[in-house]
Amino acid sequence: GAGKLADELMVKKNLKIEKINGLRKTGAKELDCVEKAVNKINKSLVSELNSETKVSSGFLIENTALEHMPELGFVAKIKSITPEKIISVINKGFVPVIGSIVSCKGRNYNINADNLAVETAKCLGVKKLVLISDVQGVLDANGKLIGMINHNQINELIASKTVSGGMAVKLSEISGVLDEIPSLHVQIVSPASLMQELFSYKGSGTFIYKKLK
């Protein structure tokens, strides 16, 4: 995702930042800012990874199944991803870095990064999905971290507005994928806590599940 950088570029161009239920309203001028932000962050991530491993590849997904959201402009929701290109990159020994702009029938669309991550996880059949957030995880009404959430609790958290905006979108995406893959385990962490989540038994952030086994 590239939300913060897109905001900065839009402010510089005096464009209004408008979000509806956590999703950015994206006209042609706003899409240009989003594309520039996504491309810049994609290249930066690839460069950082290659400074250590020399095996990273950045790209955008094309011609996937999309649901256009016309009320938001050039915004769409991914319904499914054909995994061949991603698997090909992995089989060649590269780490795929996928930008959240999707091209379909000659037109680019702004895609929510959590939607992209969830659909990528689905098409690859992963067992665990880690989502990065600008906060440490899901927070309760008092601003305290919720360490574990069962799939059945998600709707209430959204309906009660305990979570809203981008986090509500994130949890909605997680709820959908857990309906399809009940065995999937999902973790929401901050960038600072990612290493603890990946390389410690205790982990970090918020753990979300439907089935523990």
Side-chain angles (χ1 to χ4, degrees), residues 111-126:
I111 303 294
N112 175 264
D114 295 312
N115 171 228
L116 172 61
V118 163
E119 291 300 328
T120 302
K122 281 168 55 178
C123 82
L124 295 176
V126 304

Side-chain angles (χ1 to χ4, degrees), residues 23-40:
L23 298 175
R24 185 187 302 274
K25 196 168 183 179
T26 310
K29 293 180 179 179
E30 290 82 3
L31 181 63
D32 180 64
C33 292
V34 173
E35 288 178 336
K36 288 178 179 177
V38 168
N39 289 333
K40 183 174 181 177

Side-chain angles (χ1 to χ4, degrees), residues 33-103:
C33 292
V34 173
E35 288 178 336
K36 288 178 179 177
V38 168
N39 289 333
K40 183 174 181 177
I41 289 180
N42 191 281
K43 290 177 181 178
S44 176
L45 284 172
V46 170
S47 177
E48 288 290 332
L49 288 167
N50 279 338
S51 69
E52 298 293 334
T53 65
K54 305 296 183 184
V55 291
S56 297
S57 174
F59 60 93
L60 302 177
I61 294 175
E62 297 180 357
N63 298 322
T64 190
L66 297 180
E67 176 187 337
H68 182 211
M69 305 173 76
E71 69 278 10
L72 293 172
F74 296 105
V75 176
K77 181 179 175 69
I78 297 175
K79 304 302 292 182
S80 65
I81 294 175
T82 302
E84 281 75 13
K85 182 175 181 178
I86 301 172
I87 292 173
S88 174
V89 169
I90 294 171
N91 287 341
K92 291 175 182 177
F94 290 90
V95 176
V97 180
I98 306 170
S100 55
I101 292 290
V102 169
S103 176

